[in-house]
Amino acid sequence: MDKIAEGTQDKFKIAAIAGSLRKGSYNRMLLNAAIELAPENMEFDILSIDDFPLFDHDVLDAGTPKPVAEFRSKIKAADALLISTPEYNHSIPGVLKNAIDWASRP
């Protein structure tokens, strides 16, 4: 957070994820609103989780799928992660859980 507080020239990079795949997702709209309201020194990258396969260790053993590898790389390059998600059945949506499972593997 020092970059924001100090007002340095460096961009504060935020990887953002919408926990809903629906085209008219309110959560995606919230991310867009965050982008519009953010200070100029914040740079957002809305990450897609749309084309992830279901997590399966056999798939991982065969090699990390390209969309997952790109996702991990963008998270690693970010200074912060912003997740906007609905609640489904007192928990997070399955697609978001799947993305977290993929992202948390070494």
Side-chain angles (χ1 to χ4, degrees), residues 52-61 63-65 68-73 75-76 96-106:
F52 283 19
L54 292 176
F55 182 80
D56 179 336
H57 220 290
D58 291 335
V59 173
L60 180 61
D61 289 344
T64 304
V68 173
E70 290 172 359
F71 181 76
R72 286 182 185 163
S73 176
I75 289 174
K76 187 174 182 178
L96 179 58
K97 172 67 167 90
N98 187 56
I100 292 169
D101 287 345
W102 275 112
S104 67
R105 303 299 177 196

Side-chain angles (χ1 to χ4, degrees), residues 10-106:
D10 293 341
K11 293 280 187 178
F12 189 79
K13 297 177 184 174
I14 300 172
I17 304 168
S20 173
L21 301 181
R22 191 171 62 87
K23 288 182 183 180
S25 167
Y26 293 119
N27 297 283
R28 195 170 307 269
M29 288 181 204
L30 283 170
L31 292 179
N32 289 331
I35 292 168
E36 288 180 26
L37 297 170
E40 289 183 21
N41 66 335
M42 286 188 172
E43 180 180 293
F44 286 79
D45 188 5
I46 297 181
L47 308 182
S48 174
I49 59 174
D50 299 13
D51 52 358
F52 283 19
L54 292 176
F55 182 80
D56 179 336
H57 220 290
D58 291 335
V59 173
L60 180 61
D61 289 344
T64 304
K66 185 178 179 180
V68 173
E70 290 172 359
F71 181 76
R72 286 182 185 163
S73 176
K74 289 179 178 184
I75 289 174
K76 187 174 182 178
D79 296 307
L81 181 62
L82 174 62
I83 300 173
S84 178
T85 186
E87 177 185 329
Y88 292 165
N89 298 321
H90 305 287
S91 186
I92 63 174
V95 294
L96 179 58
K97 172 67 167 90
N98 187 56
I100 292 169
D101 287 345
W102 275 112
S104 67
R105 303 299 177 196

